[in-house]
Amino acid sequence: MIWFRLVSIAVPLLDVYGGMFCYFFAPATLVWLFFGSLVFVVPLACLSIEALFCRNRKWSAVFALTWLLLVLPFAGVPETREWLRTLGFYARTKLASDYMAQCRLSEFTENGVTQTAGSCEGFDRGDYFDYIVYDTSGEFILPVSKRTSEWKKVMSAATTEVTVDRDRTAYHLFGNYYAVVVGLLDGKG
């Protein structure tokens, strides 16, 4: 029975934390992790209640820590989620030695400095899309009013899916890579 307790603890934790890591690393595994977690959340709750009623301090503490770890990423602490997501994307770029080869990049000159920008890949998440954008100027996370016309021209030509006319939710991953979230109603539906 101890193995069932350990599996009931490990699978939901793997879904929450492994799912964040696999967000860009292996997006297809997200579905399997989610369903695996759904299967084991009910036994985890039952085992937690059993440990409380049987006054088993050791297992009560283990289950309390498990529930804390499960709730922590959703309790307004986005740093853990972002860090794991970035770490997964970093691993993806390092394992694929030619990751930059799949990017559609264009060079442009801005204030006398040659910059490079373009899109690398996109992930269909159902009701929104995630795009990986490479941008040496860092303008993708700037408001639309602060983006230069040279940058807008290059990004419009390089990315047909991600338009630069309106604000998008963009965040920095690492280096010159950015993730851009485009909702279904923002031009893809």
Side-chain angles (χ1 to χ4, degrees):
M1 187 71 163
I2 221 162
W3 66 269
F4 184 70
R5 289 180 184 184
L6 295 176
V7 169
S8 295
I9 291 170
V11 171
L13 286 175
L14 185 63
D15 172 44
V16 172
Y17 292 98
M20 289 179 214
F21 181 80
C22 291
Y23 190 78
F24 291 120
F25 184 72
T29 60
L30 292 175
V31 174
W32 294 107
L33 287 171
F34 176 72
F35 286 123
S37 176
L38 285 179
V39 168
F40 282 99
V41 166
V42 173
L44 179 64
C46 293
L47 290 169
S48 300
I49 293 169
E50 177 195 24
L52 284 173
F53 282 126
C54 292
R55 295 185 182 182
N56 187 335
R57 289 182 183 161
K58 181 179 92 172
W59 282 107
S60 293
V62 168
F63 288 126
L65 181 61
T66 301
W67 285 108
L68 176 69
L69 289 173
L70 287 174
V71 172
L72 190 63
F74 305 104
V77 185
E79 289 81 14
T80 305
R81 196 172 323 144
E82 292 168 6
W83 181 75
L84 284 168
R85 201 178 301 153
T86 300
L87 187 63
F89 179 71
Y90 180 77
R92 180 181 178 98
T93 60
K94 293 304 174 193
L95 289 175
S97 59
D98 60 344
Y99 185 80
M100 287 291 291
Q102 71 181 5
C103 298
R104 295 176 306 228
L105 301 176
S106 299
E107 290 186 351
F108 64 100
T109 304
E110 181 179 64
N111 299 328
V113 178
T114 302
Q115 302 285 357
T116 305
S119 67
C120 294
E121 64 182 322
F123 301 94
D124 185 355
R125 306 292 185 185
D127 57 344
Y128 64 96
F129 295 86
D130 280 320
Y131 292 99
I132 303 299
V133 175
Y134 185 84
D135 182 14
T136 58
S137 68
E139 288 190 39
F140 217 103
I141 58 172
L142 294 177
V144 175
S145 60
K146 295 193 179 193
R147 297 174 184 162
T148 63
S149 60
E150 296 89 3
W151 183 86
K152 287 180 182 180
K153 187 169 91 176
V154 166
M155 286 305 292
S156 292
T159 61
T160 56
E161 299 91 3
V162 183
T163 58
V164 295
D165 297 335
R166 298 186 350 219
D167 282 323
R168 303 285 187 231
T169 303
Y171 55 93
H172 183 249
L173 288 169
F174 79 95
N176 295 320
Y177 292 103
Y178 298 87
V180 182
V181 180
V182 180
L184 185 61
L185 299 177
D186 289 338
K188 281 297 278 189

